[in-house]
Amino acid sequence: MAARATLLATLTTKEAETSFLRSAMEQLGVSVKLVDISLHAGASTLDGDEKNRRMAEVAARVGQDLAGKRAEEIGVVAGIGGGTGGEIVLQVFDALPALHSKVLITPLPFDPRPALADKSFVIVPTLVDILGLNDLLRQALKSAAAVIAGMCSQTEPAPGLAKPMIGLTALGATGGAAASIEAGLSDMGEACAVFHANGFGGAGYARFAAEGAFKAVVDLTCHELNRLVFAGDHVPMKNRFTAAAHLPQIVLPGGLNFLGLGPVDTLGPAYSARPHYQHSAQFTHVKVTPEEMAETCEILADHLNDANAPVHVIVPMGGFSHRDRPGGEIEDEALRILCLEMLVARARHYEVEAMPNHINERPTTQRALELLKPYL
């Protein structure tokens, strides 16, 4: 396949830098189609609302045009930009398939994690601003050209899924169960895609569920609900617990018993006074209160009741996470009983069953697989 790329840039402000990047790409054998994403404001200064409107218009126009073309026709889609240009590029990326090859060259004047939550792209940080060519920027742009050329050599037309997969949510705290379910599905000849339920991974899970990548899901780890309602890093994802409403769901309250917060020395007095432990240098798990457990169970139940496909809920009474067991720092049987009572009391559309085992024990995962079998 010919090495081909589409390069997005605000030419009214980044013409020299874009020209250098384009030349570097062409020297590596990449055929480049240049797309101007400038706002064309002239000498005027746009106010916030007008600027945002024009940015959205440009991104929508370019995104719609690229989305209407074959993957091999547009090749790798690369964008170069600072704050405004980078944001337009990310909006264009939204219109492309999640796994289409994409590259953003930027000094990173914004946090890219929300954009990365539901789409795959490579970031090449320039470190210096894209404002006038200099030796530092030239080296960064040469590196970006090499990245793009390398991606072009590996790019093939997206074949699509051979068949829909099973979506599975997981954390380290429920990793034993996730590994067991994935292995069981593999034994049955079923493909499984696992999403890290850390407040970002669920965005990808929701996108693929909405786009038809799954035939059923095992929402093993509902932990992100705590982040969305109470505390913890997360991205906006209003459809995290509704995107799979049209699919058969096996749901477990994995990680619903703790809040995923930052380094232990950053906890405020209210959280440090609760039972907690250091999951890693970056993450501390803090036990939820009964009031928090009740609220998240109520919200989860409402979402599951609104589903229009079968929903089976398993409540593992031996523990909801790896440290929720006898001797664990956040072990709490009363919270598990409360969760079960809340989910049973509010059930209209879904079925609930309690198991005496821990979430990471084999009987629990075997039961999840048994409930899933009719939908495979």
Side-chain angles (χ1 to χ4, degrees):
M1 178 180 174
R4 184 170 298 174
T6 299
L7 179 58
L8 314 177
T10 52
L11 296 181
T12 56
T13 59
K14 303 285 187 286
E15 184 174 11
E17 299 85 349
T18 302
S19 178
F20 182 90
L21 175 59
R22 180 180 186 175
S23 177
M25 292 166 63
E26 291 175 339
Q27 288 175 25
L28 293 172
V30 180
S31 173
V32 182
K33 179 180 180 181
L34 190 59
V35 177
D36 188 7
I37 55 171
S38 301
L39 299 183
H40 298 292
S44 63
T45 300
L46 302 176
D47 64 31
D49 289 342
E50 177 63 14
K51 183 177 180 180
N52 288 334
R53 184 186 68 78
R54 291 205 191 182
M55 289 169 65
E57 286 179 351
V58 170
R61 172 177 53 79
V62 174
Q64 184 177 13
D65 179 64
L66 294 180
K69 291 181 167 60
R70 293 175 293 113
E72 57 268 33
E73 183 180 355
I74 61 176
V76 174
V77 178
I80 179 172
T84 298
E87 191 171 326
I88 296 172
V89 170
L90 290 178
Q91 290 182 41
V92 173
F93 284 177
D94 282 332
L96 299 172
L99 298 180
H100 187 97
S101 297
K102 302 179 285 289
V103 180
L104 174 62
I105 303 108
T106 177
L108 279 178
F110 45 75
D111 184 350
R113 292 177 301 166
L116 282 164
D118 68 348
K119 68 184 76 67
S120 174
F121 60 95
V122 173
I123 298 176
V124 180
T126 60
L127 301 186
V128 296
D129 204 356
I130 305 171
L131 186 60
L133 286 168
N134 55 69
D135 287 346
L136 297 176
L137 183 57
R138 288 188 184 94
Q139 184 56 51
L141 295 180
K142 287 179 181 178
S143 296
V147 169
I148 296 165
M151 293 176 71
C152 286
S153 68
Q154 298 298 318
T155 298
E156 297 178 358
L161 294 176
K163 62 178 182 177
M165 300 180 291
I166 306 300
L168 174 64
T169 60
L171 281 178
T174 58
S180 178
I181 291 171
E182 192 280 332
L185 288 169
S186 179
D187 289 343
M188 291 186 279
E190 295 290 339
C192 173
V194 184
F195 297 83
H196 203 70
N198 63 351
F200 292 78
Y205 163 84
R207 174 165 182 168
F208 285 116
E211 292 185 353
F214 309 140
K215 57 182 169 183
V217 301
V218 181
D219 201 350
L220 172 75
T221 312
C222 295
H223 165 75
E224 282 162 313
L225 190 54
N226 284 340
R227 293 175 180 260
L228 294 169
V229 176
F230 300 119
D233 284 344
H234 65 87
V235 294
M237 43 183 172
K238 293 180 180 179
N239 63 340
R240 164 63 178 85
F241 294 94
T242 59
H246 62 295
L247 298 169
Q249 298 180 71
I250 314 300
V251 179
L252 293 90
L256 208 59
N257 57 312
F258 64 83
L259 304 176
L261 303 181
V264 67
D265 58 2
T266 66
L267 298 186
Y271 289 129
S272 60
R274 298 191 197 182
H276 64 274
Y277 67 94
Q278 251 187 299
H279 180 64
S280 69
Q282 297 297 319
F283 299 105
T284 306
H285 292 174
V286 177
K287 189 170 75 171
V288 300
T289 65
E291 293 76 17
E292 289 166 345
M293 177 64 81
E295 185 172 346
T296 51
C297 287
E298 182 176 348
I299 295 170
L300 179 62
D302 287 345
H303 286 318
L304 299 181
N305 281 325
D306 289 339
N308 49 27
V311 179
H312 305 272
V313 178
I314 301 173
V315 183
M317 299 305 291
F320 293 176
S321 63
H322 67 332
R323 299 295 184 92
D324 180 23
R325 63 192 325 148
E329 294 90 336
I330 59 171
E331 195 275 338
D332 196 323
E333 182 182 12
L335 285 177
R336 301 194 291 270
I337 293 173
L338 174 60
C339 175
L340 176 63
E341 291 176 346
M342 289 287 298
L343 292 175
V344 169
R346 301 186 70 83
R348 297 192 309 275
H349 175 76
Y350 59 89
E351 300 176 354
V352 184
E353 64 177 88
M355 295 190 67
N357 311 89
H358 190 273
I359 193 169
N360 286 330
E361 291 178 346
R362 186 169 177 79
T364 304
T365 58
Q366 287 299 110
R367 181 56 180 157
L369 290 168
E370 289 172 4
L371 290 171
L372 191 61
K373 274 184 181 179
Y375 312 112
L376 300 180

